[in-house]
Structure formats: C-alpha cells, structure tokens
Amino acid sequence: MTFSFLSHLYCPKCMEKYQASLPQHLCHCGSPLLVHYDIDALKELWAPEDLKGRSPDLWRYHEILPLQDPTYITSLGEGMTPLLPLPTVQSDMDIGKLYMKDEGIIPTGSFKARGAAVGVSKAKELGIKELAMPTNGNAGAAWSLYAARASMDSTIVMPVDAPKITRNECALSGAHLFLVDGLISDAGKIVGKSVENSGLYDVSTLREPYRIEGKKTMGLEIAEQLGWRVPDVILYPTGGGVGLIGIYKALKELQQIGWIASDKMPKLVAVQSEGCAPIVDAWEQGKKESEFWAHSETIAFGINVPKALGDFLVLEALYETEGCATTVSDQDLLEEQKVLAQKEGAFICPEGAAAFSAARKLRKQDWIKSEDEVVVLNTGAGIKYPDTVQMEVPVLNPGDNL
Amino acid sequence: MTFSFLSHLYCPKCMEKYQASLPQHLCHCGSPLLVHYDIDALKELWAPEDLKGRSPDLWRYHEILPLQDPTYITSLGEGMTPLLPLPTVQSDMDIGKLYMKDEGIIPTGSFKARGAAVGVSKAKELGIKELAMPTNGNAGAAWSLYAARASMDSTIVMPVDAPKITRNECALSGAHLFLVDGLISDAGKIVGKSVENSGLYDVSTLREPYRIEGKKTMGLEIAEQLGWRVPDVILYPTGGGVGLIGIYKALKELQQIGWIASDKMPKLVAVQSEGCAPIVDAWEQGKKESEFWAHSETIAFGINVPKALGDFLVLEALYETEGCATTVSDQDLLEEQKVLAQKEGAFICPEGAAAFSAARKLRKQDWIKSEDEVVVLNTGAGIKYPDTVQMEVPVLNPGDNL
C-alpha cells in the first residue's frame, strides 16, 4: 500500500513545479510552495472507511500527508483534538450551533505542534540535521521539542516579550535559543542572515512547504468529526495565517477526492487584533496582499505578525469562500476569555479568545446568522499565558473559617 | 442498551454496602467507598468490539463508569491520552520497552481532569449544585473548570505556594477561591469545617467515590492501547494515590470481565519525593497504613501529601502486585525532566519526572529487569510549572548576527 500520495511541489503564484524529493524553500518568484497529491489515485484508492481503527492522531491521514516513509514519523501523539459543543456560549451568542476546535489539548499546548510534527518528520526524511526559525513563542517551542524528538538540532530566535513558558520549552529542549529586543520580523532577519551564512535549514513560516500540511489536518479533523461535512463558518485567529491556508487546502482536497460535497465551503474568517490588522486592512480594501503594520501591539502575542509571507493565500481563501476579516480589541478578547472559562469550563488562549470575540461581534452584525453552524479555533492552552489573568485572592491562615 | 452497569458502593474495610442512587461520602467506619459494577452482566453483554467507532475519550468506557444517564456527561474532551514509546530514553536506561502515558495532553493540562470529569458528571446526576475541596493546585483547577462546564458552583482552598497557573485556572472559572498559608492538610481542615457548617458537597480526595472511577480510565486506556494486555511495571508519582488505586481497580475489573488475562498484573510502583515519603516509609516497614509526614517539602508539589486518606489502598495494591515504593530527590527529578525534553521532546511535569527518575533508579538496582516492558505516568504538562526551569538566554538587538 502507498503510504503517501505525494506528487510534487508547485508555486501558487507562477505555477512552477518543484521536486518533493529534495529540500525546497521559496519559489524563485518569492512565493511559498504548496504540496500537490495524486488526486486521481486518492479518489480511487482511499476511502473514509480506511480510517477506522487508526489511532486518533493526525497520522491517520498519512495518504494525504507528505511523509513517504513511516520510519521518519516524529510524533508526540498530536492531533484529533476535541471538537467541543459549547451549548451555553452558543445560547449566549444566539448562534445555531457553536463548536470549539480545541488545540490546547495537544503536545506543547498549541496548534503549532501539528506543523512541527509534519515539518520535522519530513525534514528528517530529507536528511536535514539542523533547523532554524524565528518565532513568537509557540512555534519555536513546538519545533524545538519535535526536533529533539527527532534527534535534530535547532536554532530559535524569539522576541524578549514572547510568552515566558515558550522560552522554557525551547531552552529545555536543548535548542540554541536567542532572544531579540524587537519583533518577530527582527528575529526573522537574524535567522535569515544565519541561514545564508551557515546553511541551516530554514523552517520560518511558509519558507518550507510542509508545515502547512501539518496544519491542514485541523481541517481534515473538523470534516471527519462532523461526519464528512463542513460547517457554515470557521473563525481563525490570524498571525502568519498558515492554519487558515491549511484548513482551506484540506477542505478543497476533500472536495476533490469526493469525501465532502463539492458545492459548499465554509466561510473562512481571519481574526486579527486592533493593534495588528494588516490582513483586515487588505481585505477591507479588496487587495490581494497586505502591507507591513508598523508599531504592532496586542496581548494576543501569537497574532502579532506585522506582515505575513502567505498573506495573499489567506486573502484568496477569504475571497473564495465569501468569508471576511475582522478585528477585536484586547479588552474584548480578555472579557471573552473569562466568558469561556466561566460558562464552559474552557481556559482558552488569548488568540482563541480573539476568535470567539469576533464570532460574537459578527453575530451582532448579523454577518453570522442565527441558524449558522460555527467552528472557532482555539489555537492553544490558556495555561501557557499566566500573565493574561489578573486577580485578587483572599489568603487565610491555618484554622481559619471560610 | 444499559449505559452503565453500576451496581452499588461498598466499603473496602468493613464491606458495608451503600446505595449509589444517593450522594455518599465515607463509610461510617471512616474508609473511602468504592464503586461496584455488575461484573456478570458486563462479562456477558460487553465486549472490546463495542468500543470500535467510539470517540477517543474516556466516555468510551461508559459501561464500567458510574454515570447512568448520558445527559449528565460533563466533558471537555478528556481521555485517550498518548501511550508514547520512548526509544531513546529506553536505550539510555537499558529498559526493554519504555512508554510514557502522557497525561499532559488533556483538558486543564493534568490527569486530574479524569477524576473531575467523572466526579462532576456524577455529582450533577445526583443533583448537587455546589462542591468544595482542598487542593495542591491541579485538582482544584480541574474540578472548578468542570464545575463551570456543568453550571455548578465550587469552593476551592489551596496553599499559597501551589503553582500559580492552577490559581489562574480556578479564578478564571469563577470558583470561590481561597489561599491558605499552609499545606493541603490545612486547606482540608478549612474545607471540612465549611462542609460541616454549610452543607457543601465535599469532593476532597476519596471523600466521594467517583473521582477514582475517572482516574481508573488511565488503566483501561493502557490496557486497550497495548492491545488488551498489561505491561510488566507501571510507575506512578504518588501523592493522594488515587490514580494508582484507580489503575489497580481498572485492571482487576478487566481481568474479572475477561478482557485481559487473569494470571498477570503489572508490578505497581508508588514514587514519592525524599521530602515527603509516608507511603514509602510504610511499605518499607510492611505496614498497612502510613503515618503523617511532618514538614514535608518537594518541588514536585502534586506529591506533597503528608498523609493520604487512601494510603491503605495504595499499599494493598503494591503488596498484591509485588510492586514497590521508592523515593527520588528533587535534584534527580529536575535532571530527569531535562533528559526527557532533550532526548524525546517531551516537556513533562516534575511529578512525572519523579516517576522517570525512579524508573532509572529501579533499573540500576535491577528491580526493573532489562527485558521489562515499563509504563511511566506523566501526570501533567510541564508548561504548568514555569518556575522549575531556570536558564540564561542571550539577548540580541535587531540587526545582530547569531
């Protein structure tokens, strides 16, 4: 049996093709590369029944993932996160059906584990020994830990303001870790120079083609968990946007192989912070690409990305699905974080809270309809961000009464 | 179809029976109560094939769980955590086959979610509106969040020194949260008085019979993940010991209903810290109960329990399975935490690290044999304990080189 139906890589801008058997980065035209599979063979040889009895992790979809030899699977048990019904918040927001895809229940505590699992596995298959990347925290944590699992070296550069716990994760993994007194874009420049000079394998967002394949498994899982159909709306907190691009790619592929109906796509929503909203700006102006957002700032650190390399792919997915892009304030997202904990017992991350806040806003604007089925991505565990919760707690002495 | 084969409650000390249709706490003799199922009916009517196609969470075992009406299921998607092979550490320790049951990949980031999911669900079925408990942190976090999910109130008392993130989780859930300048035993006394005076439902460790049923699903999952058989040794970091009691109970039940062979039990190992080792002391002296450990102290906060209510059940499980009890130092467990991150990419909690450290020690002593198949419980995510990782990281300026 064929383990993967990987065919080749291609450039979504100039359509140039590339071999997948060699390490590849950007197209010569500057665009990220995407992975293509043999759709006809998949259609003929792969069926939903084949998944029965497979373990509940993202490798259950190996036919449509890029790894060709299972020997190189580098797994910490990632994937098949809960698609959790939220009946109380659903009523509260007056939405027909509301689900959270909870990416907090995953190794390293964030959805970055998916991209790292597939990206590191494929890098290992390609013979890579040492990788390098800039990060806002969670991606670095995931890639450095998966690299450790694969016995690969990693070099990670993150802003000094990135969440402290992600710094711990990288340090403990044995990565070569550096902080930069700046933004992820500054970290990116430092990594870029180092890659040029030393030949490290660059795994910056979308600079290698396989992270997106890991992320797309969120889309595969949502479709499987709904019984091979799609919801009306999916909201995604958007920094680099790889998850949104991945979900869109996954659902298109499922349509092409006939596993879901081909006449409906969910409206995809890119959620950004008021303090960093380049994609929203571009979408509002009907543009195909975003512009660098100067002096960006938000408590939802994972979506503090002033200019995403894949912005044009995110915008294409929004236009193609008749989705939208919208912003929320830090104050609103912190309020929504409380709502989810108190009404549903879910301690979500600030980025996930931003997406829920956007759902509330879009419902109020009647963009989301009262009968819609809506899936919100919570991209990580709230416990990774202890500083976003402020409170006063009474202190008793032994022997006191309540 | 019968959803649960729950029969009744019984006292493992004096064998008195109790109705499960009413809220129950300790036996009149002072012992915790255990749940009994209709084993004959289970044997006849329930088979491993019935699990196929069920969702990968602990509710897949509902026939042998105490909830009778699925309406009351209070779930955040908990259970079916990875049983992860650790080939590199396995070689490093010279152990035949080494697995980690990774309880970090679960809602609220610790194995306490299992007890809370089943305990809160059953409390809701019994009509309880408000619960109360003392905690070393993780249990309070889990129970308060699951209570919020079930629209129940909760009162939580924890030591001021408990991990800060667990304090966040309780506070954000809307629990009535109090800190005490003392140990969990001091918190327990405060809760005890409040329960007596106000009629709150006491969910302290083993004071209600259902938490253990949630914890036992770790044992059910280990057996299922190994293909309905048991390993040679299971190591468990032991504070209150409910997980160990639960795993033992689960495996006995699986033997009784014929799902696993009845002639082999894994040797169960209770791992404690040198700074708090009442069970180890009792086991070394062949005693049936432990004594209060004064001035207890360890960085593995979850196993800082000076006297466990269920100590006699833990000790019985050790004696019955020809297991043992052993201690590790804080220094050794911190070292082991690094080993797991650097060699396997797993950022485990200090309690889990204690159990791995004990595996290394017991292998060196040849108590664990080189051909043994060993499962170590990592009871929570390392990210919940940011203060246990200390490091220096270089800070660059934008434009610097690596």
Side-chain angles (χ1 to χ4, degrees), chain A residues 56 75-78 80 82 84-88 100 102 104-109 144-146 148-151 155 157 160 164-165 167-169 171-174 177-183 186 189-191 193-194 197 200 337-338 341-348 381-391 393-402, chain B residues 56 75-78 80 82 84-88 100 102 104-109 144-146 148-151 155 157 160 164-165 167-169 171-174 177-183 186 189-191 193-194 197 200 337-338 341-348 381-391 393-402:
Chain A
S75 176
L76 293 165
E78 57 288 333
M80 206 40 94
L84 210 64
L86 301 175
T88 312
M100 168 167 64
D102 192 0
I105 324 285
I106 201 164
T108 79
S144 62
L145 285 163
Y146 278 89
R149 177 85 167 149
S151 303
T155 296
V157 186
V160 284
K164 298 291 176 295
I165 291 178
R167 201 193 282 185
N168 278 359
E169 292 175 275
L172 209 65
S173 76
L177 173 64
F178 302 88
L179 304 178
V180 58
D181 192 6
L183 292 178
D186 299 305
K189 283 173 201 151
I190 292 172
V191 169
K193 279 193 289 181
S194 177
N197 300 334
L200 294 175
Q337 193 187 34
K338 268 190 215 153
Q342 291 181 10
K343 291 188 188 289
E344 300 286 5
F347 186 9
I348 62 177
I383 52 176
K384 294 196 86 170
Y385 307 81
D387 300 336
T388 59
V389 180
Q390 303 296 333
M391 77 223 124
V393 183
V395 180
L396 310 175
N397 287 309
D400 281 358
N401 292 317
L402 292 187
Chain B
S75 175
L76 293 165
E78 58 287 333
M80 205 42 91
L84 209 63
L86 301 175
T88 312
M100 168 168 64
D102 191 0
I105 324 281
I106 201 165
T108 80
S144 63
L145 285 164
Y146 278 88
R149 176 85 168 150
S151 304
T155 296
V157 186
V160 285
K164 299 291 176 294
I165 291 178
R167 200 194 283 185
N168 277 358
E169 293 176 275
L172 208 66
S173 77
L177 173 64
F178 302 88
L179 305 178
V180 59
D181 193 5
L183 291 179
D186 299 305
K189 283 174 201 150
I190 292 171
V191 168
K193 280 194 288 180
S194 177
N197 299 333
L200 294 176
Q337 193 187 34
K338 266 189 217 157
Q342 291 180 10
K343 290 188 187 291
E344 299 287 4
F347 186 10
I348 62 177
I383 52 176
K384 295 195 86 171
Y385 308 79
D387 301 335
T388 58
V389 180
Q390 303 295 334
M391 77 223 122
V393 184
V395 180
L396 310 175
N397 286 309
D400 281 358
N401 293 318
L402 292 187

Side-chain angles (χ1 to χ4, degrees), chain B residues 232-280:
Chain B
D232 298 305
V233 181
I234 298 179
L235 293 103
Y236 177 83
T238 305
V242 181
L244 190 142
I245 301 166
I247 290 169
Y248 180 63
K249 186 171 190 284
L251 298 180
K252 291 294 276 186
E253 287 170 353
L254 288 177
Q255 280 186 341
Q256 287 162 8
I257 64 173
W259 287 25
I260 60 174
S262 61
D263 57 349
K264 181 183 166 189
M265 263 283 162
K267 294 177 184 175
L268 297 176
V269 179
V271 179
Q272 298 199 300
S273 161
E274 285 179 356
C276 183
I279 305 261
V280 179

